[in-house]
Amino acid sequence: MPSGVHIMEPDIRVEDYLDDKLQSASDFAHLDTLLSSVEYQRSQLQSQLDDATKALDDARRSAQDRQADLAAQVDEFQKLQHSIDIRLQIVAASDAPDEAIQRLELPMKQLHKVDLAHKYLVLLQDVHDMRSEARSHLPQSPKAALEPYTRLRQLSTKLRALQGPADEAAAHLVAYVKSVTETLWGEMKKTMWDELEAVLKKRNWPSVDPDSEVDEEWLECFEKLLDLQIPEVLDSPAAVTLLPVDVMAQIFVKEFRFHFLSDRATSKPETIGDRCFPWFLALVEKWESFLMDNFGPVLAAKFNETAVSHKMVYMDPVCAFITSMLPVMREKVAHTMSTAIQNPAFLSSLMNELMTFDESIRSRFTYDGGDAENGWGGLTSEVLSVHLDTWLQAEKKFALERYHAIMAPLDARNIDYDFVGVGKTKPTHAATRITDLLQSVTAQYERIRRFSHKLRFLIDIQLTILDEYHDYLRGVLEAYVSITSTVGRAFGVTKEQLAALEGTGALETLCKVLGSADHIVNTLNDWSNEEFFVTLWDQLQARAKLNGDHGNLAGGMSYDQVKDRTSSSVGTEEDGGVLFDETIAAYSQRRRRAQDFLAEAVAEDHRKAFRAYIQRPQWTTIAEEPTDDPYYQPAITSELDEPLRILKRDLDFLSRALGTAVFRRIWRDALEKLNVMLWNDILMSHRFASSGAAQFRRDLHAISSLIERYIPDGSSSLGSMKEALELLNLPVEAPVGAMSLRQATDMVFTDNSEAKKILEELDIGSLTPANARQILQRRVENAE
């Protein structure tokens, strides 16, 4: 309904309206007015109704028209869709499109090639323009020439980077741009090279005074070449030779080739250490001051406050000169190595001379090779990166041959009494010579720079020799056990083997093992505190802790291989580990076992020697009766002569062969066993008259006196026997104030308290009351 048209609500009743308007008689006076108002409102409502009816008719006609248009559009769309479907069916059933595409394919490819060729030509034109621009600035302004050259090099680098993702497309173009770039760089260097070379020729270089100063033109050409090369120096991760120094060094390179890389006698490989190395060092030393005074300030000005200011090969002209000369020396070394690898003896001497040469370069000229942090690895490292195994096997062969030569002579296995003074354990000649051999091996490789190379020498040569010698010592001990044990004899022992152990033979055999093992242990402990081995251990620990690949810890060796050969502390946080832990432990075990066997051997000598003495006649019958003379000393028992001789023999031999501490330990054990034997087999097995007790005490005194001559206070191991004999020798009748046998017996058998009192009174501290009763019962006077 149109706006502004309002229709009165139909539910309003007329009577309600009249009631509202005619409420009193006076209201009828206005009836005409009321009728007029009602008529007016009716006419308005009729007008509104007419307008709404018209608007409704218009809206219906408009909706019908739009519906008719929409229906027409839908019909037209359906006809168009039907037509398209028909045409698609026709096209699908026809070969015409494929034929058209095939006819257009070749022209499109040709068009693409033409477009690509145009782009190639534009790029090549840019390449040629940059090359021409760079050439135009030389030799006057190398810095200006660097700008187009740098753009060209960047283009070449970018093309190579894009070639990979593009399946190596445009290979010829990339190769050509790269070739142009490299050729241009070569031309630029040659142009500047020729300029400096001409200047040097006019100055008659190198026939100049080493103390002279160079002129301005020379310095200017030197600087130009540096300007040209500065980007290369700053961008290169490895050290590069400086072009102006190369120009000055070329005459010396030619001279080097003439002397050492030609058919002259001086070119023989064997002369490299006598002639080639000294010539090189003398050359550098000759021009050292000249280079430093004239070109040191130039290099400092060019490279100071740059990323390479810490590298001596750029800041020091002498080091730069060495860098320029090293390629020809490297060539000479490579040529010499081709001969040396066929001759192990020459290879060994060559490596030693090469390491000496490297060390001279480092120490005399502060040469760092471009590695300010780690220093110059030297020509040795370069050689070993190729020939390490060859050299290692040669050195190992020499070392093992020398080891076998050391072990071959019979006298090598004798004890070296002159090696150390009195009171020290004596090794065999073989042991001392082996440690000298190992020390010489250390000298062979201690100057090597790479950690893995050092570790290979340590494990493959030194530890291998130590393992072989350890196996030899273990074999000696095993042979000793098989000869001396009941089980071993059951398998057969030769007369020669038994004869070798007669007398001090057994002691000597064991002392050889003990002394040799002790010498090896002490030597390895000393080496473990030396700077070289301490540093090697620290490097091994650091690498083991950081290296997650335990399959290759160093030099192709796994973590387990290195740990088993060196120390179980490898790669752990334990303190106190050393490189030789496993080897020291193995030799220490041989030393302990030899010491145990030695104490048993001494005790066995005592058991055999004292057998007759133990089995002597009853101690109740003695030819001589004791006397009251205090100065009277009865003669020792005749059956004790042989035991004393054996004791003296063993004491004399072991005192010379063993160190004081080991000597005392062995004899302490042996004397304690002797003390037990005398106690059980004599004291507790016989009865004693007063004369027999005195004789036994005299014999024990003879034994103690002999021991004291070799071991001060050593007879204390027989202390319980001494005190027992003091108790056993109490007189039957004692002077006034002295203790008699009867008194002592009564008190000892009264109770423990009385027994302790009598022992304290007699100053006896090692015996118990029970011991005292047993001892006093040995006297015939107390026999029941």
Side-chain angles (χ1 to χ4, degrees):
M1 184 179 293
S3 58
V5 178
H6 300 284
I7 300 177
M8 184 177 296
E9 293 292 335
D11 59 344
I12 298 177
R13 301 176 59 184
V14 175
E15 54 188 308
D16 293 334
Y17 177 78
L18 294 177
D19 289 340
D20 181 59
K21 295 297 184 179
L22 300 176
Q23 294 181 359
S24 63
S26 58
D27 291 334
F28 285 98
H30 305 289
L31 184 59
D32 294 336
T33 303
L34 178 60
L35 291 174
S36 298
S37 174
V38 169
E39 181 63 24
Y40 176 73
Q41 291 178 1
R42 187 196 65 79
S43 62
Q44 281 186 328
L45 291 174
Q46 185 63 46
S47 176
Q48 291 175 357
L49 180 61
D50 292 341
D51 292 340
T53 301
K54 182 178 179 182
L56 179 60
D57 291 340
D58 293 340
R60 286 175 179 171
R61 285 194 299 271
S62 176
Q64 290 174 355
D65 293 341
R66 285 197 298 272
Q67 186 175 5
D69 291 341
L70 181 60
Q73 290 177 3
V74 169
D75 184 60
E76 184 178 358
F77 173 78
Q78 290 176 346
K79 291 180 180 178
L80 179 61
Q81 180 65 41
H82 181 68
S83 174
I84 291 173
D85 292 340
I86 294 174
R87 281 181 287 177
L88 285 176
Q89 292 176 357
I90 296 173
V91 170
S94 175
D95 295 331
D98 292 337
E99 294 175 358
I101 292 173
Q102 292 177 359
R103 289 197 301 268
L104 290 174
E105 185 176 2
L106 183 60
M108 291 300 295
K109 287 184 178 179
Q110 292 176 343
L111 180 61
H112 176 70
K113 289 180 179 180
V114 171
D115 182 61
L116 186 61
H118 177 263
K119 292 179 180 179
Y120 277 13
L121 290 174
V122 171
L123 189 147
L124 292 175
Q125 183 62 47
D126 291 341
V127 170
H128 293 162
D129 290 343
M130 287 184 281
R131 180 175 62 180
S132 300
E133 183 181 355
R135 287 173 174 174
S136 66
H137 293 294
L138 295 176
Q140 295 79 12
S141 179
K143 288 184 178 180
L146 280 174
E147 184 179 349
Y149 167 75
T150 301
R151 295 200 308 271
L152 180 59
R153 187 179 62 179
Q154 290 174 346
L155 175 62
S156 177
T157 302
K158 185 176 182 180
L159 287 176
R160 289 197 300 273
L162 294 173
Q163 189 180 21
D167 296 329
E168 303 300 324
H172 295 292
L173 175 66
V174 174
Y176 176 76
V177 175
K178 179 181 178 183
S179 174
V180 170
T181 304
E182 293 175 349
T183 302
L184 175 60
W185 178 240
E187 292 174 355
M188 293 168 65
K189 290 195 294 185
K190 187 177 186 307
T191 300
M192 303 308 300
W193 180 295
D194 292 343
E195 183 184 29
L196 179 57
E197 191 174 41
V199 171
L200 294 177
K201 187 175 182 180
K202 288 192 297 184
R203 272 67 175 177
N204 200 26
W205 169 260
S207 298
V208 299
D209 185 359
D211 296 327
S212 63
E213 296 184 3
V214 300
D215 54 59
E216 290 298 326
E217 185 180 7
W218 189 340
L219 282 176
E220 183 180 355
C221 290
F222 191 94
E223 289 190 56
K224 285 182 180 179
L225 267 172
L226 284 180
D227 291 337
L228 181 68
Q229 197 183 10
I230 283 177
E232 179 188 14
V233 170
L234 298 179
D235 294 341
S236 176
V240 298
T241 59
L242 296 181
L243 288 176
V245 181
D246 282 345
V247 178
M248 296 173 61
Q250 65 175 327
I251 185 65
F252 302 116
V253 172
K254 293 177 181 178
E255 184 179 354
F256 183 96
R257 292 186 176 280
F258 174 76
H259 288 300
F260 307 113
L261 287 171
S262 63
D263 296 332
R264 295 172 59 85
T266 53
S267 295
K268 293 182 178 179
E270 295 77 8
T271 64
I272 188 171
D274 297 332
R275 298 187 177 182
C276 183
F277 291 153
W279 181 93
F280 188 99
L281 295 172
L283 175 70
V284 178
E285 189 171 352
K286 175 182 178 180
W287 295 103
E288 182 178 8
S289 298
F290 176 83
L291 294 169
M292 185 63 71
D293 295 341
N294 289 289
F295 304 108
V298 178
L299 294 182
K302 295 295 181 181
F303 296 111
N304 195 23
E305 297 183 358
T306 67
V308 298
S309 60
H310 61 291
K311 297 182 179 181
M312 296 304 294
V313 292
Y314 302 129
M315 298 297 294
D316 186 337
V318 179
C319 293
F321 181 70
I322 293 173
T323 304
S324 296
M325 292 296 299
L326 277 179
V328 70
M329 175 60 78
R330 190 174 288 111
E331 182 180 347
K332 171 64 178 177
V333 170
H335 182 267
T336 306
M337 282 299 300
S338 64
T339 301
I341 58 177
Q342 307 298 327
N343 185 344
F346 176 45
L347 176 61
S348 181
S349 63
L350 173 61
M351 294 306 301
N352 185 58
E353 292 169 344
L354 189 59
M355 285 187 281
T356 301
F357 171 76
D358 290 343
E359 190 60 35
S360 298
I361 293 292
R362 293 189 198 96
S363 60
R364 291 167 62 175
F365 308 110
T366 321
Y367 187 71
D368 65 0
D371 189 343
E373 181 177 355
N374 300 314
W376 182 47
L379 297 179
T380 305
S381 294
E382 298 176 15
V383 168
L384 292 182
S385 64
V386 180
H387 300 292
L388 172 66
D389 289 337
T390 303
W391 181 42
L392 182 63
Q393 293 306 314
E395 293 297 336
K396 183 176 182 179
K397 180 181 178 182
F398 286 141
L400 289 175
E401 288 176 352
R402 177 59 183 149
Y403 167 75
H404 294 138
I406 288 172
M407 298 298 295
L410 294 178
D411 66 335
R413 306 180 189 188
N414 294 335
I415 296 175
D416 187 358
Y417 291 100
D418 298 326
F419 181 73
V420 288
V422 178
K424 301 291 184 181
T425 300
K426 311 300 188 298
T428 60
H429 291 285
T432 58
R433 292 169 187 170
I434 287 172
T435 53
D436 290 341
L437 170 62
L438 296 175
Q439 187 68 55
S440 68
V441 174
T442 301
Q444 285 290 96
Y445 76 91
E446 65 181 345
R447 293 183 292 172
I448 297 176
R449 305 285 286 187
R450 289 188 61 180
F451 163 78
S452 59
H453 295 169
K454 295 178 184 178
L455 193 64
R456 286 284 303 278
F457 262 83
L458 172 72
I459 292 179
D460 289 3
I461 299 180
Q462 291 178 303
L463 294 185
T464 296
I465 292 175
L466 287 169
D467 289 347
E468 284 203 23
Y469 190 54
H470 170 265
D471 292 342
Y472 163 76
L473 296 180
R474 181 174 58 188
V476 172
L477 291 179
E478 291 174 351
Y480 172 82
V481 172
S482 68
I483 295 172
T484 57
S485 66
T486 304
V487 176
R489 288 198 185 100
F491 291 96
V493 178
T494 65
K495 293 181 179 180
E496 291 77 10
Q497 290 175 322
L498 290 174
L501 299 182
E502 292 296 327
T504 58
L507 303 184
E508 184 175 3
T509 298
L510 296 171
C511 283
K512 290 176 181 179
V513 176
L514 189 152
S516 298
D518 182 74
H519 175 67
I520 297 295
V521 169
N522 292 335
T523 300
L524 295 182
N525 280 326
D526 292 340
W527 287 356
S528 297
N529 294 319
E530 292 183 1
E531 181 181 1
F532 172 72
F533 290 108
V534 170
T535 302
L536 195 60
W537 170 253
D538 291 341
Q539 291 174 336
L540 176 60
Q541 279 287 67
R543 178 169 295 205
K545 291 176 182 178
L546 294 176
N547 189 0
D549 181 14
H550 283 178
N552 182 15
L553 181 60
M557 294 178 290
S558 68
Y559 170 79
D560 290 334
Q561 288 175 322
V562 174
K563 175 179 151 183
D564 292 343
R565 298 298 300 278
T566 56
S567 171
S568 59
S569 299
V570 171
T572 68
E573 299 297 333
E574 297 179 14
D575 295 330
V578 295
L579 278 173
F580 304 104
D581 274 345
E582 296 301 319
T583 306
I584 290 173
Y587 275 92
S588 297
Q589 185 177 358
R590 300 284 80 75
R591 181 175 62 181
R592 286 193 300 271
R593 196 172 187 201
Q595 181 176 317
D596 293 340
F597 286 158
L598 197 54
E600 292 177 4
V602 173
E604 181 63 23
D605 281 350
H606 295 168
R607 282 192 292 272
K608 292 179 180 178
F610 278 86
R611 187 172 299 158
Y613 182 73
I614 292 172
Q615 296 173 356
R616 73 180 298 276
Q618 294 292 326
W619 293 87
T620 56
T621 305
I622 300 296
E624 298 182 13
E625 290 296 328
T627 177
D628 294 333
D629 185 358
Y631 298 103
Y632 172 76
Q633 288 289 341
I636 63 173
T637 306
S638 59
E639 288 85 358
L640 190 61
D641 291 340
E642 180 63 13
L644 289 176
R645 187 187 69 80
I646 297 299
L647 277 171
K648 184 178 185 306
R649 180 199 70 185
D650 291 352
L651 283 164
D652 184 65
F653 174 78
L654 294 178
S655 65
R656 292 184 297 113
L658 299 179
T660 301
V662 178
F663 179 68
R664 293 181 69 92
R665 281 197 297 270
I666 289 174
W667 276 99
R668 183 177 62 247
D669 293 343
L671 292 176
E672 286 175 354
K673 292 177 181 178
L674 177 61
N675 186 79
V676 172
M677 182 177 66
L678 294 176
W679 182 286
N680 293 331
D681 296 342
I682 297 180
L683 180 61
M684 293 293 116
S685 299
H686 296 85
R687 294 194 177 275
F688 296 85
S690 58
S691 58
Q695 185 64 53
F696 194 12
R697 181 171 61 179
R698 173 68 183 92
D699 292 345
L700 185 65
H701 178 72
I703 296 172
S704 299
S705 298
L706 177 61
I707 294 171
E708 290 293 333
R709 281 160 42 192
Y710 290 91
I711 310 173
D713 198 33
S715 63
S716 59
S717 298
L718 301 174
S720 61
M721 274 302 304
K722 289 181 181 180
E723 293 184 345
L725 291 182
E726 289 297 322
L727 189 59
L728 186 66
N729 275 272
L730 289 175
V732 177
E733 294 183 2
V736 178
M739 181 70 65
S740 68
L741 178 63
R742 176 54 59 187
Q743 290 174 327
T745 303
D746 292 342
M747 294 181 68
V748 166
F749 281 91
T750 300
D751 54 36
N752 285 344
S753 178
E754 291 298 321
K756 291 179 181 179
K757 288 180 181 180
I758 196 65
L759 292 176
E760 291 177 0
E761 185 176 342
L762 294 173
D763 196 21
I764 296 175
S766 63
L767 301 181
T768 65
N771 295 146
R773 296 185 187 101
Q774 290 174 339
I775 293 167
L776 291 175
Q777 285 178 334
R778 297 294 95 199
R779 285 291 293 268
V780 294
E781 292 82 357
N782 290 330
E784 295 182 358

